[in-house]
Amino acid sequence: MRDLFEPSGDQEVLHEPLGEGAVLLRGFAAARSATLLAAIDSIADAAPFRRMITPGGFEMSVAMTNCGTAGWVTDRKGYRYTTHDPDSGKPWPRLPREFLDLAEAAAVAAGFPGFLPDACLVNRYEPGARLSLHQDRDEADYGHPIVSVSLGLPATFQFGGPKRSDPVKKVALRHGDVVVWGGASRLFHHGVLTLKDGEHPSTGRRRFNLTMRKAL
Ligand code: MD6
Ligand code: FE
């Protein structure tokens, strides 16, 4: 199944279904990547990337920060959304207009009109970083999709099923790719394999991932 459409201007984008309600929009954010990366720099100036601690006491290999009315955090007390950055006590930086516009456009392209995120988790991977299989279930209403944007070095994404032990499909996510994920597979397990070393013209030895959510 191959479905072509126009995201903006004359750029062609490939629609790849990943599962029920999950679609990969190849290159959807490529034309806006410089703006997105500049916004990530501003967010990190106000709320620096940090490696959070899991409830089990492990330091995550992925460094994280947030913007929006709510931000996702983990520490010894558990996983949750907070309105303030626990490191500074300040509210998370605002969700930039460019993030909101992209999230809405990608959601429309994937068949989820009217998506308005209030939270964006920003992940930063350096070579060796990985994200083990997990579900995103700290949001109040699973009826909303999640819009995920990959920037910089490519990574292998694992897309599993409702059980942690379900087989996973491996998908390469590259600079500018967007995944919109809702519907029946909203609670499916997923993860990111260990980032391989490399050099990307826009981000150097790094991968960034934005996940925009309606958390509250
Ligand atoms: C990442 N993404 O790509 C991690 N979660 O770095 C996620 O964990 C994720 O891409 C929920 C929905 C989409 C995602
Ligand atoms: Fe996730």
Side-chain angles (χ1 to χ4, degrees), residues 121 131 134-136 146 157 181 190-191 211 213:
L121 173 63
L131 193 60
H134 67 276
Q135 294 168 292
D136 283 54
I146 293 177
F157 192 76
W181 190 342
H190 57 282
T211 40
R213 306 114 186 280

Side-chain angles (χ1 to χ4, degrees), residues 81-106:
Y81 283 93
T82 64
T83 56
H84 289 64
D85 178 347
D87 282 8
S88 66
K90 294 189 293 192
W92 295 107
R94 312 183 71 81
L95 250 163
R97 182 83 253 159
E98 310 83 75
F99 285 21
L100 292 170
D101 290 346
L102 172 60
E104 201 206 351

